[in-house]
Amino acid sequence: MKKLGLATALLLAMTGAQAYQVEVQGQAEYFDDSFNNNNYTGAVQGTYYFKDVDSSKGPLAEAAFLNQASNVSAAYNFGQYTADVKVPALNVSEEVEAQQHSYGVKAETYIPTKFVPVYASASYNHSKTDAKNNFTASNPYGNANVAKLGDGNGDRYALELGAVIAPNFLVAVGYTSVADQFAFDTFNTLSNNSVVSALETGTIGDDQDAITARTKYVGAIDNTNMSIGFEAGLVYGEDTLYQLKSDLYFTPKLSAGVSYTESSFAQTPSTAWGVNVNYFVTPAIAVGANYVNANAENSSRDTQVAGVNAKFRF
């Protein structure tokens, strides 16, 4: 009987459940630029919602947002980086290699009030960079690119406060403290892209503190089965970054989106545009793909990223 019950629950989750309380998602990316080569990242995130999320209200991808579902999450991201570093003045050329591990926990809550629902979030992330050879770790030549791949540990904390000022329209402002410039927001990597996440942490820079602001809206298109979503974000640290995103939901299951990110930080790709497509095979299972092209105006480090992702809800 126990086996039959488990099989029945699994079948319901895979074929048509309209409510869920847990979501697990994974992502893998491959990227290449003129400095790095053979680089890839992998990430996984688990989210627990305190109440059942009704996924019948609109686009399946935005069910939690439309339900104003309070939750807690944990995430992990792994990156493998290799690069050919040259120091012409010393006639030195060597391949360097490093691995990066990022861990994060996050909580989001929506609190009803007499006026509007209030939104709050808090997150903590820790990144560890592990150099895989002596050249990378010791950086004997003082090359700036090598230093970025050296050993290191970094923490970052973030708080956000906001409100749902109109149906499905969130406005929030926040504060982020980064103890190390290369401490990444693991959740940003999953929701956007590894290059965009790196651009964001580079924008905050050595100031270690940043002010953030963002808006998000999802709404139905009248007289159709379609919906549209918009997001805008701002990061103000040592430099300034802004991001625009839009998704068109052709049906509750199928969507396609575009994004554009720009930063005044000159040491990484300064602009990035991306496209994505996502499809829910069932209300509980989704697959997707994304592509990002990042342009470095002040260097030759143009970057292209291709990724795939999947979600499972139960």
Side-chain angles (χ1 to χ4, degrees):
M1 291 297 293
K2 290 183 179 179
K3 292 182 179 179
L4 179 60
L6 179 61
T8 302
L10 180 60
L11 180 63
L12 289 172
M14 295 180 63
T15 57
Q18 291 297 305
Y20 64 96
Q21 204 166 356
V22 176
E23 179 179 86
V24 178
Q25 60 177 310
Q27 175 178 279
E29 294 177 331
Y30 173 83
F31 63 99
D32 185 48
D33 64 29
S34 55
F35 176 70
N36 300 312
N37 56 77
N38 299 322
N39 296 321
Y40 60 89
T41 67
V44 63
Q45 177 179 329
T47 303
Y48 174 77
Y49 298 94
F50 298 117
K51 296 181 179 180
D52 283 350
V53 179
D54 181 2
S55 58
S56 64
K57 293 183 177 181
L60 289 167
E62 296 293 350
F65 175 71
L66 296 175
N67 280 265
Q68 298 178 20
S70 300
N71 64 85
V72 291
S73 298
Y76 167 71
N77 181 73
F78 170 81
Q80 171 71 39
Y81 307 97
T82 60
D84 294 318
V85 176
K86 297 180 180 180
V87 185
L90 299 175
N91 195 28
V92 172
S93 179
E94 185 170 339
E95 182 176 82
V96 298
E97 180 182 357
Q99 294 179 351
Q100 186 169 68
H101 306 265
S102 295
Y103 313 83
V105 291
K106 184 176 183 178
E108 293 181 295
T109 186
Y110 294 84
I111 304 171
T113 71
K114 292 189 297 182
F115 304 102
V116 294
V118 173
Y119 169 83
S121 73
S123 65
Y124 164 76
N125 287 272
H126 175 78
S127 294
K128 173 178 172 57
T129 304
D130 181 17
K132 292 302 179 182
N133 57 34
N134 292 331
F135 182 88
T136 309
S138 60
N139 189 14
Y141 308 109
N143 184 282
N145 288 325
V146 181
K148 293 179 182 180
L149 292 175
D151 286 334
N153 287 275
D155 298 305
R156 62 185 291 161
Y157 305 85
L159 296 171
E160 267 192 315
L161 291 174
V164 183
I165 61 174
N168 307 327
F169 185 20
L170 172 68
V171 176
V173 295
Y175 166 77
T176 298
S177 175
V178 181
D180 184 288
Q181 184 175 355
F182 297 98
F184 291 90
D185 183 341
T186 315
F187 302 94
N188 189 17
T189 301
L190 279 153
S191 62
N192 288 292
N193 179 273
S194 56
V195 168
V196 172
S197 179
L199 205 164
E200 183 257 7
T201 198
T203 298
I204 295 174
D206 294 330
D207 275 359
Q208 300 185 1
D209 300 295
I211 301 300
T212 63
R214 67 184 179 101
T215 63
K216 180 174 182 175
Y217 170 77
V218 178
I221 300 176
D222 292 343
N223 302 317
T224 72
N225 193 34
M226 303 168 66
S227 299
I228 194 164
F230 296 101
E231 293 185 53
L234 173 72
V235 177
Y236 181 74
E238 185 171 315
D239 295 283
T240 304
L241 173 147
Y242 67 85
Q243 182 178 43
L244 301 172
K245 298 172 64 178
S246 181
D247 291 283
L248 179 62
Y249 302 93
F250 302 100
T251 70
K253 292 183 176 182
L254 176 64
S255 67
V258 295
S259 65
Y260 178 78
T261 306
E262 182 169 335
S263 173
S264 59
F265 181 49
Q267 302 304 313
T268 63
S270 52
T271 61
W273 61 265
V275 294
N276 69 83
V277 60
N278 292 277
Y279 178 67
F280 276 81
V281 182
T282 76
I285 300 174
V287 293
N290 66 81
Y291 170 81
V292 171
N293 188 303
N295 177 46
E297 295 181 357
N298 297 315
S299 73
S300 61
R301 293 190 61 188
D302 292 350
T303 305
Q304 297 185 71
V305 182
V308 293
N309 60 79
K311 293 181 180 179
F312 179 65
R313 296 170 170 176
F314 55 93

